[in-house]
Amino acid sequence: MKNLIIIGNGMVGHHCVEQLIEQGATAHYQIHVFGEERHIAYDRVHLSEYFTGRDAESLALGSAEDYIAGGITLHLDEVVISIDRDNGEIVTSRGRHPYDSLVMATGSTPFVPPIEGLGAVGSAEAASNRLVYRTLEDLDQIRAAAKGKTRGVVVGGGLLGLEAANALKSLGLEAHVVEFAPRLMPVQLDEDGGQTLKQHITALGVGVHLNRATTSIVPGDDYKWRMNFADGEHLEADLIVFSAGIRPQDTLARTASLEIGERGGIIIDDECRTSDPEIFAIGECALWQSRIFGLVAPGYQMARGVASLLAASTHGKSEKAGDSFCFQGADMSTKLKLLGVDVGSIGDAHGQTEGAISYRYCDEAEGVYRRLVVSKDRKKVLGAVLVGDNSRYDTLLQYVSNAIAAPKDPAALILPDSSGEAITLGADALPDTATLCSCHNVSKGDVCRAIDDGHSDLGAIKACTKASTGCGGCTALLKKVVDAELESRGVEVDHSLCEHFAHTRQELYSLVRVENIETFTELMARHGRHADALGCEICKPAVGSILASCWNAPITEASHIPLQDTNDTFMANMQKNGTYSVVPRIPGGEITPDKLIAIGDVAKRYNLYTKITGGQRIDLFGAQLHELPDIWGELIAAGFETGHAYGKSTRTVKSCIGTTWCRYGVQDSMAMALRLEDRYKGLRSPHKLKFAVSGCTRECAEAQSKDVGVIATENGWNLYVCGNGGMRPRHAELFATDLDDETLIRTIDRFLMFYIRTADRLQRTSVWREGLEGGLDYLKDVIIDDSLGLGDVLETQMQLLVERYECEWANALKHPEKLKRFRSYVNDQRPDPGVVNIVEREQIRPAPTALIASDAPTAEASSTKTTSQLVTEIR
């Protein structure tokens, strides 16, 4: 067998190994992989999550066992010292190893500019003023340097610089970014995009200093270090992290006399071969046509190509191996979320193409900026910049990547339309070359060929192509393409809910209702594709919702529990530190002083954070799992019940004070709000439901942004339906006017039950309404004019749900078996020792992850401390 050596166990080197295994190269090569880090290959894209709870194991891209199973010998924490090309060997810190072919995936190193006063590598000064952000070891050093400190600075305002700033924030430090260029992310963004991003970043509490060149670093007055800038300004900080760019790691190649670029980088040809044809270079160490590609996707492309060449060169060539590979550069389009802010850069984002024309849209109030770059004739989309909203990224990327003709008015691609929805490409508009799944490089043509080969359902196509089996982000687009392709061939499209049920959500609802089915097991046995199947993440919650919408049985029943997500299972919303929030129902926002005191007593007794919500509720945060039943018991004793904040159900009925107190009110909006909430509380539906009642047209309750909105008139009530707030607000539509109390209730009964019967899973009323053939007029015909003769049935079904209502908290408290779930640990009642809180504005909040380090005191971990107390203890 031949010997193949891969130097570098980063993301690109690891991907090359995966491809070699998949293409059968291990049958003909003895493969050795050398990594200088002690950790197996890990996900550097999500490196900042190391500071928010993830460890090296969870970031790992594989395991040592995977390498063994694949026939790969892995050498970790073993540095390759030199390459002996004459003898075909590499020399490591532990010995020599022969090779027939060699792949260099050595990556890059952070660039630290020469600055006066900068600590020498390994010195005491460098431990706080020469930190870099590249490896897990680097992050460990940053974490150590941050203990007991208050301010950190990142030099570099690019992608990694902003990630590093986010890391400093997560460690509880005041974070600043210093950038030499006049804007953030200068490679990806234009001036306006950089300015919009700066507004977002500064609003998050990160200081941004642009056009700053650091000339020296000296001891500071108020902080450990002072950074002096060329313009005479200065900035002090306790630690300084450099993320000012990368340099290709080409030292080994230099010493082996391989051809190196003028500014660094191992020169490669279109097959990723170096000046030695038996040595390949891939990833950030490789220089192709004077370019270094600093993203992981181009490195993956190189890795796949080299793996195919190596597999094809063996006598037992794999069927999957390609006969040739020609690297032709890579798309550097980028889709990011930095400190929670969407950022996208596509193609020629700066409009450098001759004759290019730009369209710009800027919404300063929402912090959204879009730039579209098109050709001189306006027929081709060349690039785009997006800040604050990446909802149009995928569509614009397809226009650029596949040279799809721009619409007659290209500006429509970035301007909001009347509904607030983005223009999207239909499946038919995508060419066969369009990439659907970037994780596994699956194109539309690959999917079509899978259909040609006889795969006619989504599950089979996923198994055949691997599309949607990576991150899953392409699932919706994949289904659209499959459905469109099947329909174009005259094949009846399967609209099944999932692989377990050959029915839509609406059909399953009808089966449950007609056949009086009350459990998931019974439904699966009667109508599932496999009678003994356990279901999936799609059908289980969908069926759970259907059963609750039909029969209103408590979700705490044993037959329902496996169908629910965490929030529904424990009837409280899980928060980021593993604790829960409790929201008692406060109908219409009306509450007595005694009940206010009762909530205050509970919050004080269990040390809970309290907040008044926009839906006229009081939210109690920080309850541990084992405390939930006790908290519910005290709230129920005070006259409260569950507010269903955790479910896809009726949430709130917001109200103004109406004629009770207001001199402008024309109807008693408080009384109507209380009546509606009492009637529809606990109602389960395809998506959450929000109501509001306003006592006059001044609309203080904001009824016209709700699923069901009621506004008082001199003659009764006007009813509005199918509105919502959130990411994509939609104005509710006027449905009926001047209704008396009973007609209003009857109309809402019919509307809600018709929605529950006919909507798709997780479909809001606004989206459901847009998909109704005939629109609002059709809905009026069905609900008001009873054109389908369903009026009485819908009202009867709603009345059944109203009569069967039971507070789910109270139901759980009555059954000892149900309460066994509410334990942090299965075999005892101890609280979770990992929950650590700090005090801010006289209330608790979760402690920053950095303060919950392994060296923090665990005996008192579940107690609450001030920030200074906790920092002092950890120090």
Side-chain angles (χ1 to χ4, degrees):
M1 295 179 68
K2 291 184 176 182
N3 291 311
L4 170 62
I5 287 179
I6 299 175
I7 303 176
N9 189 227
M11 295 182 72
V12 172
H14 176 77
H15 192 67
C16 187
V17 170
E18 288 184 320
Q19 295 298 308
L20 288 166
I21 293 173
E22 181 178 337
Q23 299 185 32
T26 52
H28 305 280
Y29 283 106
Q30 178 63 51
I31 303 175
H32 289 257
V33 179
F34 291 85
E36 64 180 12
E37 292 188 63
R38 58 188 175 88
H39 300 289
I40 200 167
Y42 52 87
D43 183 359
R44 295 184 193 274
V45 175
H46 296 94
L47 197 60
S48 60
E49 295 176 18
Y50 189 59
F51 286 140
T52 58
R54 295 189 67 178
D55 55 16
E57 185 177 355
S58 68
L59 286 167
L61 298 173
S63 66
E65 290 74 19
D66 294 334
Y67 278 71
I68 293 171
I72 309 294
T73 303
L74 178 62
H75 305 258
L76 293 178
D77 198 20
E78 185 169 353
V79 178
V80 177
I81 299 172
S82 63
I83 302 171
D84 183 349
R85 290 170 55 196
D86 293 335
N87 295 309
E89 293 180 328
I90 66 166
V91 181
T92 78
S93 54
R94 298 174 188 169
R96 302 177 73 95
H97 300 268
Y99 70 84
D100 293 292
S101 294
L102 177 66
V103 178
M104 301 190 70
T106 51
S108 62
T109 57
F111 170 64
V112 179
I115 299 174
E116 181 185 343
L118 192 65
V121 176
S123 67
E125 292 83 1
S128 60
N129 78 3
R130 196 192 179 100
L131 297 162
V132 294
Y133 187 85
R134 189 68 176 169
T135 68
L136 288 175
E137 185 177 342
D138 294 336
L139 268 61
D140 286 334
Q141 292 174 359
I142 292 173
R143 192 200 300 272
K147 288 181 180 178
K149 305 303 190 298
T150 57
R151 180 187 285 180
V153 172
V154 177
V155 179
L159 164 59
L160 284 179
L162 294 177
E163 289 280 5
N166 189 36
L168 295 184
K169 274 184 61 68
S170 70
L171 289 171
L173 273 67
E174 175 190 336
H176 291 258
V177 173
V178 173
E179 169 57 45
F180 177 78
R183 63 178 180 273
L184 294 172
M185 295 187 67
V187 175
Q188 291 85 7
L189 302 182
D190 61 3
E191 183 177 350
D192 291 333
Q195 179 61 28
T196 303
L197 179 60
K198 178 186 175 183
Q199 291 171 358
H200 278 287
I201 300 301
T202 54
L204 293 170
V206 176
V208 177
H209 310 265
L210 303 175
N211 285 307
R212 294 291 193 273
T214 306
T215 57
S216 64
I217 298 175
V218 298
D221 297 324
D222 300 317
Y223 297 87
K224 187 169 185 177
W225 300 109
R226 169 173 165 159
M227 303 172 65
N228 294 316
F229 302 134
D231 61 1
E233 297 292 326
H234 69 271
L235 177 66
E236 293 193 0
D238 293 312
L239 64 151
I240 303 171
V241 180
F242 285 88
S243 184
I246 60 172
R247 294 294 182 266
Q249 181 65 282
D250 56 16
T251 305
L252 274 176
R254 287 179 185 273
T255 59
S257 299
L258 294 176
E259 191 174 352
I260 303 296
E262 182 179 350
R263 301 183 62 183
I266 309 169
I267 295 176
I268 60 171
D269 62 13
D270 293 349
E271 290 187 335
C272 295
R273 296 181 192 270
T274 67
S275 52
D276 183 332
E278 289 303 327
I279 299 179
F280 299 84
I282 58 178
E284 293 176 338
C285 67
L287 182 71
W288 178 82
Q289 294 191 6
S290 302
R291 293 185 65 188
I292 295 288
F293 295 90
L295 297 177
V296 71
Y300 277 6
Q301 186 178 337
M302 294 178 185
R304 285 193 293 267
V306 168
S308 69
L309 286 173
L310 290 168
S313 67
T314 62
H315 293 296
K317 183 174 66 175
S318 165
E319 291 181 1
K320 295 182 180 180
D323 293 320
S324 62
F325 160 65
C326 184
F327 183 72
Q328 292 295 311
D331 179 20
M332 296 297 285
S333 298
T334 311
K335 182 181 182 182
L336 310 163
K337 187 175 283 290
L338 299 169
L339 287 87
V341 182
D342 280 349
V343 178
S345 177
I346 301 172
D348 182 11
H350 295 288
Q352 296 176 340
T353 303
E354 184 178 356
I357 297 172
S358 290
Y359 297 86
R360 291 176 175 85
Y361 168 77
C362 183
D363 182 346
E364 292 184 0
E366 296 296 327
V368 173
Y369 171 76
R370 306 184 190 112
R371 176 184 181 181
L372 182 73
V373 181
V374 300
S375 58
K376 185 177 182 179
D377 60 6
R378 298 177 175 81
K379 293 182 178 180
K380 184 179 180 181
V381 179
L382 302 176
V385 173
L386 304 169
V387 179
D389 177 16
N390 268 341
S391 61
R392 303 177 187 233
Y393 180 90
D394 292 339
T395 293
L396 292 173
L397 181 63
Q398 293 295 344
Y399 271 101
V400 174
S401 301
N402 298 292
I404 297 172
K408 184 176 181 180
D409 179 12
L413 292 172
I414 62 170
L415 294 176
D417 64 9
S418 58
S419 68
E421 297 291 329
I423 294 177
T424 57
L425 282 169
D428 293 338
L430 298 177
D432 284 352
T433 55
T435 299
L436 304 183
C437 175
S438 57
C439 292
H440 294 284
N441 199 31
V442 181
S443 67
K444 178 184 175 183
D446 295 328
V447 171
C448 293
R449 283 187 286 275
I451 296 174
D452 290 337
D453 293 339
H455 301 288
S456 58
D457 66 85
L458 195 59
I461 291 169
K462 286 182 180 181
C464 173
T465 64
K466 290 192 175 181
S468 188
T469 61
C471 71
C474 63
T475 301
L477 180 58
L478 176 66
K479 189 175 190 313
K480 287 181 181 178
V481 169
V482 171
D483 287 352
E485 188 63 23
L486 291 174
E487 287 178 346
S488 70
R489 303 178 186 208
V491 178
E492 184 177 353
V493 174
D494 182 5
H495 293 291
S496 301
L497 179 68
C498 67
E499 60 194 88
H500 299 106
F501 290 99
H503 302 281
T504 63
R505 186 260 175 201
Q506 298 90 329
E507 290 167 344
L508 287 176
Y509 179 93
S510 298
L511 291 169
V512 166
R513 179 69 78 175
V514 171
E515 299 182 16
N516 291 312
I517 296 173
E518 297 190 6
T519 68
F520 180 85
T521 303
E522 185 181 0
L523 182 64
M524 181 66 78
R526 291 195 195 183
H527 300 288
R529 285 187 167 128
H530 309 286
D532 57 348
L534 299 176
C536 65
E537 68 278 2
I538 294 176
C539 63
K540 287 194 294 185
V543 171
S545 173
I546 290 170
L547 293 172
S549 295
C550 287
W551 316 122
N552 215 355
I555 61 167
T556 54
E557 296 301 325
S559 61
H560 280 46
I561 287 299
L563 311 181
Q564 310 296 342
D565 62 15
T566 299
N567 291 347
D568 261 325
T569 297
F570 299 115
M571 295 174 286
N573 288 327
M574 178 181 277
Q575 303 303 320
K576 68 179 184 180
N577 64 344
T579 62
Y580 293 81
S581 64
V582 177
V583 186
R585 186 175 299 283
I586 303 176
E590 184 179 77
I591 189 168
T592 65
D594 285 340
K595 285 188 175 183
L596 273 175
I597 292 170
I599 289 180
D601 285 341
V602 168
K604 195 170 184 178
R605 186 171 299 109
Y606 294 94
N607 196 22
L608 305 177
Y609 171 92
T610 57
K611 182 184 185 302
I612 296 175
T613 73
Q616 299 176 334
R617 296 277 197 263
I618 298 177
D619 207 340
L620 309 174
F621 291 83
Q624 294 202 36
L625 186 60
H626 69 282
E627 295 175 324
L628 290 176
D630 293 335
I631 292 172
W632 297 339
E634 294 190 32
L635 290 172
I636 289 170
F640 293 100
E641 59 187 6
T642 173
H644 285 93
Y646 47 82
K648 294 293 186 284
S649 58
T650 298
R651 293 287 183 87
T652 60
V653 181
K654 190 173 182 179
S655 176
C656 66
I657 203 64
T659 54
T660 308
W661 289 90
C662 181
R663 58 197 176 103
Y664 297 110
V666 295
Q667 299 289 346
D668 190 349
S669 57
M670 276 305 307
M672 180 54 69
L674 295 174
R675 182 174 179 182
L676 293 179
E677 187 147 359
D678 183 63
R679 183 167 184 80
Y680 302 118
K681 61 186 179 183
L683 177 67
R684 295 276 168 164
S685 56
H687 210 291
K688 62 186 176 185
L689 295 168
K690 294 188 177 183
F691 297 62
V693 183
S694 288
C696 73
T697 55
R698 285 174 174 79
E699 248 284 70
C700 293
E702 301 168 337
Q704 293 177 77
S705 64
K706 300 294 188 284
D707 299 276
V708 176
V710 179
I711 300 178
T713 70
E714 294 286 352
N715 301 314
W717 306 97
N718 284 352
L719 175 62
Y720 292 78
V721 297
C722 301
N724 63 255
M727 289 182 64
R728 303 216 177 278
R730 186 185 188 279
H731 208 276
E733 297 175 279
L734 181 61
F735 192 67
T737 60
D738 295 333
L739 303 177
D740 59 52
D741 289 6
E742 299 309 317
T743 305
L744 175 67
I745 298 296
R746 184 168 61 251
T747 305
I748 295 174
D749 279 357
R750 292 182 177 185
F751 166 75
L752 291 174
M753 286 309 305
F754 190 62
Y755 160 65
I756 290 171
R757 285 171 63 123
T758 60
D760 204 351
R761 58 180 289 273
L762 301 179
Q763 191 175 50
R764 295 208 69 163
T765 57
S766 58
V767 181
W768 166 71
R769 147 70 184 90
E770 293 294 343
L772 286 177
E773 190 173 346
L776 192 67
D777 290 338
Y778 167 75
L779 196 56
K780 288 180 178 179
D781 287 342
V782 173
I783 303 303
I784 299 174
D785 300 332
D786 197 16
S787 60
L788 300 179
L790 290 173
D792 291 342
V793 174
L794 298 174
E795 292 171 37
T796 300
Q797 290 174 352
M798 178 61 76
Q799 188 59 36
L800 173 67
L801 298 179
V802 172
E803 293 171 355
R804 287 191 174 184
Y805 171 78
E806 181 180 7
C807 172
E808 292 164 355
W809 289 350
N811 178 274
L813 293 176
K814 291 189 300 186
H815 299 88
E817 284 298 315
K818 296 179 180 179
L819 295 180
K820 290 181 179 178
R821 298 197 312 275
F822 297 92
R823 296 178 180 174
S824 297
Y825 296 94
V826 174
N827 55 355
D828 65 41
Q829 293 286 351
R830 286 186 303 158
D832 184 350
V835 175
V836 182
N837 295 315
I838 64 172
V839 175
E840 183 176 81
R841 296 187 296 276
E842 299 184 58
Q843 293 208 82
I844 66 164
R845 75 169 177 84
T849 305
L851 301 184
I852 315 175
S854 58
D855 55 350
T858 56
E860 299 180 290
S862 60
S863 63
T864 302
K865 307 175 184 299
T866 65
T867 307
S868 59
Q869 285 174 327
L870 196 52
V871 169
T872 301
E873 286 187 6
I874 293 174
R875 191 189 312 171

